[in-house]
Amino acid sequence: MAFNKIAFLAIVALTSFCGLATASYRVGVGRADITGPPVEINFMGYANIKQVGRGIHTRVFARAFVVEDENGNRVAFVSADAGMMGYGLKREVVKRLQARYGNIYHTDNVAISGTHTHGAPGGFLMHLLYDISILGFVPQTFEVMAQGIYLCIKRATDNLVDGKIFLSKRTVYDVNINRSPSSYLRNPAEERAQYDHDTDKQLTQLRFMDMENNLLGAFNWYAVHATSMNNTNKLVTSDNVGYAALLLEKEYNPNKMPGKGKFVGAFCSSNLGDVSPNIMGPKCSISGNECDLLSSRCPAGEGECFASGPGKDMFESTQILGNRLADAALGLINGRPADPDDKNYLNREVTGDVRFIHQFVDMPNYNGSTYNPLSRKIDKVRGCQPAMGYSFAAGTTDGPGAFSFEQGTTTDNAMWNFVRDFIAAPSQEDIACHAPKPILLATGRATFPYEWQPKIVSDQLLKIGDVIIAAVPCEFTTMAGRRLRNQIGAAASATGTDTEVIIAGLTNIYTSYTVTPEEYQAQRYEAASTIFGPHTHSIYMDVFERLTKAMMNNQTVEPGPSPPYMNDVMLSLNTGVLFDGHPINTDFGYVKSQPNKEYGINDTVKVTYISGNPRNNLFTEKTYFTVERKINEDRWKVAYTDASWETKMIWHRTNTILGFSELDIYWNISPQTLPGEYRIRHSGEYKYILGGKYPYEGLTHSFTVKED
């Protein structure tokens, strides 16, 4: 990842017009730890009840940028290593910001987006369907995320300096594929002919610099699911895009631990709804044969239909794709396109004022109209009560579902309808509204113990100069995102301003998926999870066009109905830590398994400690362990932490009744490791049976890493 930084500074100097440029913006970036309870809590993403956390591979972070123009107009954007975002969480973040800054920050100018990692603790969304596989609301997850997201915006605010913003784009191949290609083919041929691929391949970057041309941060948007780590993973991970962010930050924060340093690099979600990182494609897990294209099913005896990445396992696949994304982003930072003929390549300074607009929309009660460019007619559109279709239960090729459900199902089943109606029965109007989707869960009609899925959504635009960020509250598919980008761009252009439009997915509130009306007819997983019915995408097209026109003309809109406040009705089946114990003749921090005396490159060090439950203290902004290298007789230096890619922390109960547990720490010695003498230190807290939590620490013998 070495690049010609002299060439980069020359480019910046030229674009700054020989140093005569004046500041148009104040810019700041910030980062904070949002790692929730790493054990005994289910992960959010795959909805797999068996995917219960057992430790950490990488910590997860929230990364923010704040931009203010010459008139004092300000926006804040956050990319959080989380499955998605819930409005209750955003509301809490804004509340904390306003307690410190007054009304500088509010719902309209703060956008919080999830990267869509499927490997982080859940229980923060406050809608039953999304928290049910987590066994309900998890206050510890909610609190660490709320505080961390608040803190990253605070740090970005505290770091505001006069600066410049640059927009860059390039094509990146071999990172994504379309996981529902048969649905994509439902879109009109003349529309598909406008694009070279059935997924978006362009990486879009906003780069922030101070007036001395020091690089402050780089935020990158690329359409890919963060599902290189599959549903068997039980270690907290930021997945492919999170690893790319760690690599990018390592390049510009030399000699700093992951999550530390002034430079902030982020990889943010976009229109990733039908986009998979498992680029080797779906195969039957036993036979290795191709899956059925329409249903993503395998014949009896051939296993489940799973897609895989380019590596020998999910860890290597994550690493390969993370490297590809980080290399592409570094190339943009340094003004170096991968291909001189790349028609997507762009590198220019951003100019213009800062604006923002936001509106809550009651989707089930929305009635409107939108122009259909394909039929050249005005279509009437209306929303439906939220509902999930049969194919939702089939899962995807990134993570197959349960029972015998198949993607592409357009007929119902009497037995499953009986189960559905026992929970909440859809009305005949609901059934007609969602057709051809057969309703498996009438979530809009379910009210016990509280709302199952949102009915009110958050639609938002942030304008930074001639760049518009469309903050959408769900996962748009490839073509759905393309149409929205074009619609917003055309609406802005009609006011006399040409803009670059970025889709920021999974932002502010989560409402599953949005497909095009044509894709909806196929009823694969993404369509079955388009919860407001076949007109969902048309409604968003209508709303965002109206918001764009209002924003570009400096007009205001009605705020719309606020989502309900549900903090006081949350339920959870998750239990807290009762107490911790340890075997006789040991103590907390006792090293049960010491390292060998000597290791070589590519060896793996494993040590085991008698431990307390990691939920006793999340060690936020800290670490459960350090790998330390000896500098001299009096000094050891931290070389790796629990946020490092090279390490893993795995916790397990050894006696539930007595509260015994152990912690395994693994360190893979990479070729970049310096030879020398090392040791591993573990820090934790235990919960005493009579009350109170107490710190402990354990330290291994030293060992040698020899030269290769």
Side-chain angles (χ1 to χ4, degrees):
M1 293 183 187
F3 292 91
N4 190 336
K5 293 183 173 60
I6 296 176
F8 167 55
L9 292 175
I11 291 170
V12 171
L14 287 172
T15 56
S16 299
F17 196 64
C18 301
L20 298 178
T22 58
S24 298
Y25 304 108
R26 296 178 70 218
V27 297
V29 295
R31 180 200 316 102
D33 185 3
I34 57 169
T35 307
V39 303
E40 298 185 320
I41 299 297
N42 294 69
F43 289 168
M44 179 60 205
Y46 288 113
N48 185 340
I49 197 71
K50 296 180 180 179
Q51 196 184 13
V52 182
R54 289 189 56 199
I56 294 176
H57 184 207
T58 61
R59 280 189 176 259
V60 290
F61 297 95
R63 298 171 171 92
F65 68 77
V66 172
V67 178
E68 183 180 83
D69 69 11
E70 295 172 317
N71 298 315
N73 299 314
R74 182 182 296 193
V75 295
F77 180 88
V78 177
S79 177
D81 289 331
M84 58 286 293
M85 191 45 52
Y87 184 69
L89 192 53
K90 176 180 175 177
R91 179 160 42 200
E92 180 62 28
V93 170
V94 170
K95 175 183 174 183
R96 296 182 188 197
L97 288 169
Q98 291 184 338
R100 182 174 183 87
Y101 298 107
N103 203 39
I104 291 176
Y105 295 110
H106 43 82
T107 297
D108 295 3
N109 69 348
V110 174
I112 308 174
S113 173
T115 62
H116 208 33
T117 176
H118 287 43
F124 58 89
L125 287 176
M126 293 189 166
H127 282 89
L128 188 67
L129 184 69
Y130 301 132
D131 282 349
I132 197 167
S133 65
I134 321 295
L135 303 182
F137 182 67
V138 182
Q140 198 175 24
T141 304
F142 184 91
E143 172 57 29
V144 73
M145 291 183 69
Q147 183 61 18
I149 295 170
Y150 156 76
L151 188 58
C152 77
I153 298 175
K154 176 186 177 297
R155 287 172 174 168
T157 303
D158 293 344
N159 291 335
L160 279 170
V161 295
D162 290 343
K164 298 170 287 189
I165 306 171
F166 293 85
L167 169 70
S168 297
K169 291 172 60 178
R170 62 169 288 182
T171 303
V172 185
Y173 297 111
D174 299 324
V175 174
N176 64 16
I177 62 169
N178 195 305
R179 70 184 187 188
S180 287
S182 59
S183 291
Y184 180 86
L185 290 173
R186 294 270 187 143
N187 295 304
E190 60 269 29
E191 182 180 35
R192 288 186 278 113
Q194 300 173 35
Y195 303 96
D196 295 331
H197 305 281
D198 60 2
T199 61
D200 284 343
K201 304 292 185 183
Q202 71 267 20
L203 183 141
T204 303
Q205 180 183 93
L206 285 181
R207 194 162 61 254
F208 304 93
M209 307 191 70
D210 66 18
M211 297 307 293
E212 285 72 47
N213 296 327
N214 296 307
L215 184 62
L216 305 176
F219 280 63
N220 306 270
W221 286 263
Y222 190 82
V224 66
H225 256 74
T227 51
S228 289
M229 300 294 291
N230 64 41
N231 62 13
T232 66
N233 169 56
K234 296 181 180 180
L235 302 181
V236 174
T237 174
S238 53
D239 213 286
N240 43 42
V241 291
Y243 180 58
L246 293 177
L247 290 175
L248 191 61
E249 291 179 333
K250 183 178 181 180
E251 181 75 11
Y252 291 100
N253 295 321
N255 303 316
K256 297 290 186 180
M257 291 298 103
K260 307 297 181 182
K262 293 182 178 180
F263 172 83
V264 176
F267 286 80
C268 318
S269 62
S270 191
N271 52 322
L272 51 68
D274 54 355
V275 186
S276 170
N278 295 307
I279 59 177
M280 304 310 292
K283 298 284 192 302
C284 297
S285 58
I286 295 176
S287 68
N289 294 328
E290 299 283 340
C291 310
D292 179 73
L293 181 65
L294 297 179
S295 66
S296 295
R297 297 285 291 184
C298 294
E302 294 194 22
E304 290 188 300
C305 181
F306 260 111
S308 60
K312 67 178 183 293
D313 57 28
M314 59 183 171
F315 293 98
E316 187 176 68
S317 292
T318 301
Q319 196 170 21
I320 290 170
L321 297 188
N323 269 295
R324 289 173 183 171
L325 288 171
D327 284 343
L330 284 164
L332 287 178
I333 290 173
N334 289 277
R336 181 181 62 83
D339 180 357
D341 298 323
D342 185 355
K343 65 181 182 181
N344 285 320
Y345 183 72
L346 174 70
N347 189 17
R348 64 171 176 80
E349 188 169 358
V350 174
T351 59
D353 63 359
V354 170
R355 302 181 194 181
F356 49 83
I357 196 165
H358 177 277
Q359 188 173 56
F360 292 116
V361 176
D362 184 347
M363 293 293 281
N365 293 310
Y366 190 92
N367 287 279
S369 60
T370 188
Y371 175 70
N372 186 333
L374 303 175
S375 66
R376 298 180 182 176
K377 295 180 180 178
I378 300 295
D379 291 342
K380 291 188 178 298
V381 295
R382 70 183 182 113
C384 309
Q385 289 290 331
M388 304 295 280
Y390 271 58
S391 296
F392 151 73
T396 72
T397 54
D398 291 335
F403 304 105
S404 58
F405 290 101
E406 294 184 3
Q407 294 204 60
T409 299
T410 55
T411 57
D412 57 7
N413 172 284
M415 183 192 75
W416 288 114
N417 284 354
F418 175 80
V419 174
R420 172 199 69 194
D421 293 349
F422 180 78
I423 299 171
S427 68
Q428 288 302 310
E429 182 182 0
D430 295 337
I431 293 171
C433 188
H434 279 276
K437 177 202 292 180
I439 296 176
L440 180 64
L441 291 173
T443 52
R445 301 297 178 184
T447 58
F448 179 81
Y450 42 83
E451 196 171 74
W452 280 46
Q453 282 183 304
K455 297 179 181 179
I456 296 168
V457 304
S458 166
D459 296 331
Q460 183 183 33
L461 295 171
L462 306 180
K463 176 183 175 294
I464 303 170
D466 47 5
V467 175
I468 293 177
I469 299 174
V472 299
C474 52
E475 303 175 50
F476 271 56
T477 58
T478 299
M479 194 63 83
R482 288 169 174 171
R483 289 184 190 177
L484 184 63
R485 274 201 305 262
N486 293 340
Q487 184 95 330
I488 293 170
S493 182
T495 66
T497 304
D498 292 330
T499 59
E500 182 72 30
V501 180
I502 298 171
I503 302 292
L506 304 117
T507 305
N508 297 332
I509 192 169
Y510 185 61
T511 59
S512 293
Y513 285 75
T514 292
V515 299
T516 67
E518 295 87 350
E519 292 166 350
Y520 190 87
Q521 303 304 307
Q523 277 303 298
R524 282 179 59 82
Y525 174 85
E526 295 84 11
S529 304
T530 297
I531 68 175
F532 301 115
H535 297 307
T536 301
H537 183 258
S538 300
I539 293 173
Y540 284 126
M541 294 281 278
D542 191 21
V543 170
F544 275 99
E545 180 183 32
R546 178 167 44 80
L547 290 177
T548 303
K549 291 177 179 178
M551 180 180 69
M552 299 305 292
N553 289 310
N554 281 316
Q555 298 171 346
T556 59
V557 295
E558 291 296 320
S562 294
Y565 182 86
M566 300 194 298
N567 297 47
D568 54 351
V569 296
M570 292 292 101
L571 297 178
S572 179
L573 297 178
N574 291 289
T575 59
V577 179
L578 297 178
F579 64 92
D580 293 299
H582 59 77
I584 298 173
N585 297 325
T586 68
D587 202 350
F588 295 106
Y590 171 76
V591 185
K592 181 178 178 181
S593 176
Q594 290 279 0
N596 298 334
K597 292 184 179 297
E598 186 177 83
Y599 295 89
I601 299 300
N602 294 323
D603 286 345
T604 299
V605 181
K606 178 191 174 185
V607 297
T608 302
Y609 294 87
I610 302 298
S611 75
N613 192 312
R615 286 198 287 157
N616 292 328
N617 187 330
L618 301 184
F619 283 82
T620 306
E621 301 274 315
K622 300 176 184 177
T623 179
Y624 285 105
F625 65 87
T626 54
V627 178
E628 303 170 2
R629 181 173 180 269
K630 189 174 184 179
I631 305 302
N632 54 47
E633 289 302 319
D634 301 318
R635 183 177 168 224
W636 292 75
K637 181 180 179 181
V638 174
Y640 301 93
T641 69
D642 64 9
S644 301
W645 174 264
E646 295 83 355
T647 64
K648 296 185 182 74
M649 177 188 98
I650 302 177
W651 176 87
H652 48 96
R653 283 279 187 203
T654 56
N655 189 312
T656 302
I657 295 175
L658 298 178
F660 295 178
S661 62
E662 295 177 359
L663 189 76
D664 297 330
I665 295 171
Y666 296 82
W667 172 37
N668 180 55
I669 302 174
S670 68
Q672 292 75 38
T673 304
L674 294 173
E677 187 176 350
Y678 287 84
R679 66 186 184 187
I680 299 176
R681 183 190 305 272
H682 163 51
S683 301
E685 281 192 0
Y686 69 89
K687 188 171 184 180
Y688 186 46
I689 192 170
L690 297 180
K693 297 178 183 178
Y694 300 92
Y696 69 86
E697 189 171 275
L699 188 65
T700 68
H701 301 325
S702 63
F703 55 94
T704 300
V705 173
K706 60 185 179 182
E707 292 191 46
D708 190 12

